[in-house]
Amino acid sequence: MARPFTMTGHSRGLAGALLLLSALSGPAQAQRVEDGSDAVIGKSAAEAILVMVGERFGALDPKVTALRKAEGSWVCGSVNVKNRDGLYIGERGFVADPSSAFFGRVPEGPELLNPRAEGFQALERIRQLYFAMCLD
């Protein structure tokens, strides 16, 4: 007579870990645009933006707002993310191009203090793109 299958504590822990791993292995994605501004740029562009934001900030529970069209396929918007304490740190602008999968959040002042620092040119490019395309 066959013995019925029962999960031991170790088996349950392993099954739980595998379930958690499968849930986390999918692409990170910001869940939605908080203020409905996705209607301004269209569903496909908004989805592309949410995927890019999720890939970069998914673990920080990003909130996307203020989406608007810029030149060509470029989109401007704002994103707010949580810090280590679980508190939102405030919206920061971003510029994105869904057609090329480019996404850049505007750097903060301290990030631009040293022009010889690694990544400075990329941050400066993002800042210039945002100022040229997103500020009225």
Side-chain angles (χ1 to χ4, degrees):
M1 183 165 156
R3 198 173 79 174
F5 176 77
T6 59
M7 292 184 84
T8 64
H10 177 48
S11 298
R12 280 190 294 268
L14 180 60
L18 289 173
L19 181 62
L20 177 63
L21 182 61
S22 68
L24 295 176
S25 66
Q29 182 171 339
Q31 295 181 1
R32 63 187 168 94
V33 177
E34 294 289 314
D35 62 357
S37 61
D38 50 335
V40 174
I41 65 168
K43 185 178 180 176
S44 64
E47 287 174 0
I49 298 293
L50 290 174
V51 167
M52 288 187 278
V53 168
E55 287 172 353
R56 180 145 177 215
F57 302 113
L60 304 175
D61 194 19
K63 290 184 177 183
V64 175
T65 57
L67 294 175
R68 58 205 179 276
K69 294 179 181 182
E71 298 176 17
S73 61
W74 289 85
V75 174
C76 301
S78 294
V79 64
N80 194 355
V81 296
K82 289 184 177 179
N83 63 14
R84 283 182 242 182
D85 298 323
L87 304 171
Y88 282 98
I89 60 174
E91 292 185 354
R92 271 184 36 206
F94 68 81
V95 61
D97 180 12
S99 69
S100 68
F102 176 88
F103 176 88
R105 185 169 73 155
V106 177
E108 292 181 309
E111 295 173 304
L112 295 171
L113 287 178
N114 183 358
R116 290 179 287 210
E118 184 178 335
F120 176 83
Q121 294 300 326
L123 293 174
E124 179 61 20
R125 178 174 181 249
I126 293 166
R127 188 185 71 79
Q128 289 176 359
L129 285 168
Y130 186 81
F131 285 2
M133 288 194 257
C134 302
L135 296 182
D136 296 331

